[in-house]
Amino acid sequence: MILILAGTSDARELAMLVQQEGYPLLTTVVTESAAKSMEEAGLPVRVGRMDAEEIRKLIKEQHFRAVIDASHPFAEEASRNALSGARLAEVPYIRYERASMEEKPHPLITMVDDYAEAAAVAAEHKGVVMLTTGSKTLQVFTEKLINLPDIRLIARMLPRKDNMEKCEQLGVEQKNIVAIQGPFSKELNAALYKQYGVTLMITKESGKVGSVDEKLEAALELGIPTVMIARPKIEYGTVFSEFDQVIQALKEKLEEEQTDGIPH
């Protein structure tokens, strides 16, 4: 059995390939929406967050032989828990992470290390700020920006009830919420920027599969400055950005396990 932290479209594709290679597996996701996507692809799935000890216990109880962490590049806590859980259970950990952007920084792009720094840059910029980083860190931006007279904060996020409730709690008015689910084309991104008169866009460096290219292309073509939050810095150890590399690494690690005589 292989345990795969999933939840994204590319993680689902990777899990399907692992399954096609003949390995029984279990995918884990956080939301019911992601679980439905896995089930539709014929993949067994578990829903819910797990800390390191819960992952260790699951590995031991269900005799998982390896952990493939294909969670989102910004799911920092999930990755740290998976890494620790695998280490505690003494099974191989393999990190799949979609490739970073290869292009050199554009003059209109400002790279920052975290959400707080992004909010600070936006505060200096002023104007209409479109936030495309989701609801999890929304409070970082509302605390810094929402009461500034020269800033209108537009929050773009998934159309979920808990997200709308969070917006209400943090003082984001309905007129400043774009509740929509991607993927988004460059044309749709451009239309949204124009509709709201966006003068600054804030995004995360999630990689091409995360549609960050389309956000950027639309913003840059319209001459809109962009603040891009860099990925968390985590020492994964074994990390790959191609599916075939993950499959090969999995085979090698399981062969090593058998050679070493480790029970499974």
Side-chain angles (χ1 to χ4, degrees):
M1 285 278 283
I2 310 299
L3 181 63
I4 302 181
L5 273 71
T8 62
S9 58
D10 46 339
R12 183 181 66 246
E13 292 175 25
L14 174 58
M16 291 170 66
L17 287 176
V18 172
Q19 191 175 62
Q20 288 169 18
E21 288 290 328
Y23 296 106
L25 58 82
L26 175 68
T27 61
T28 71
V29 298
V30 175
T31 67
E32 293 293 342
S33 175
K36 183 178 179 182
S37 177
M38 296 297 159
E39 289 170 348
E40 289 174 349
L43 297 166
V45 61
R46 177 193 185 282
V47 185
R49 300 180 189 278
M50 291 185 288
D51 61 23
E53 174 56 25
E54 288 170 327
I55 291 174
R56 183 203 67 79
K57 186 176 180 182
L58 181 66
I59 291 171
K60 289 296 188 182
E61 288 179 348
Q62 298 196 28
H63 307 290
F64 287 103
R65 299 175 62 193
V67 173
I68 297 177
D69 176 11
S71 58
H72 191 277
F74 280 81
E76 184 175 1
E77 184 178 359
S79 286
R80 292 189 188 282
N81 285 334
L83 190 55
S84 296
R87 185 180 295 120
L88 290 169
E90 299 181 321
V91 299
Y93 168 93
I94 301 170
R95 170 64 174 168
Y96 165 78
E97 188 167 278
R98 59 182 65 151
S100 297
M101 292 179 57
E102 296 178 356
E103 295 83 358
K104 294 180 181 179
H106 188 281
L108 288 174
I109 299 174
T110 300
M111 293 295 299
V112 297
D113 290 332
D114 54 35
Y115 299 95
E117 188 178 354
V121 171
E124 293 295 324
H125 182 87
K126 306 187 188 310
V128 179
V129 178
M130 179 166 281
L131 185 65
T132 67
T133 54
S135 63
K136 188 175 181 181
T137 57
L138 179 60
Q139 187 170 352
V140 176
F141 295 95
T142 56
E143 287 180 349
K144 184 75 175 179
L145 305 175
I146 208 160
N147 292 319
L148 296 180
D150 299 323
I151 288 182
R152 180 186 180 191
L153 182 64
I154 307 295
R156 190 173 97 178
M157 59 186 61
L158 291 172
R160 290 179 4 196
K161 181 181 178 181
D162 57 335
N163 286 348
M164 300 306 100
E165 290 174 344
K166 189 168 189 176
C167 284
E168 182 178 7
Q169 292 167 2
L170 296 176
V172 181
E173 299 180 60
Q174 289 184 18
K175 65 180 180 180
N176 293 331
I177 302 172
V178 180
I180 188 170
Q181 181 166 344
F184 305 97
S185 66
K186 182 176 71 173
E187 292 73 21
L188 179 54
N189 278 298
L192 288 172
Y193 298 153
K194 292 176 182 177
Q195 175 68 28
Y196 288 91
V198 174
T199 61
L200 182 72
M201 191 266 286
I202 301 178
T203 187
K204 298 183 290 190
E205 205 286 272
S206 300
K208 187 170 179 57
V209 181
S211 297
V212 70
D213 284 4
E214 286 76 9
K215 292 182 193 178
L216 273 181
E217 288 173 11
L220 298 180
E221 283 187 11
L222 293 173
I224 299 172
T226 297
V227 175
M228 182 173 288
I229 302 164
R231 294 181 180 183
K233 295 178 176 61
I234 302 175
E235 291 296 328
Y236 294 112
T238 308
V239 55
F240 303 102
S241 59
E242 299 292 340
F243 292 163
D244 58 348
Q245 294 173 332
V246 174
I247 299 296
Q248 184 60 34
L250 178 63
K251 290 179 179 179
E252 290 175 357
K253 288 183 179 296
L254 295 184
E255 286 174 4
E256 288 174 8
E257 174 189 274
Q258 290 179 329
T259 301
D260 292 340
I262 299 174
H264 56 267

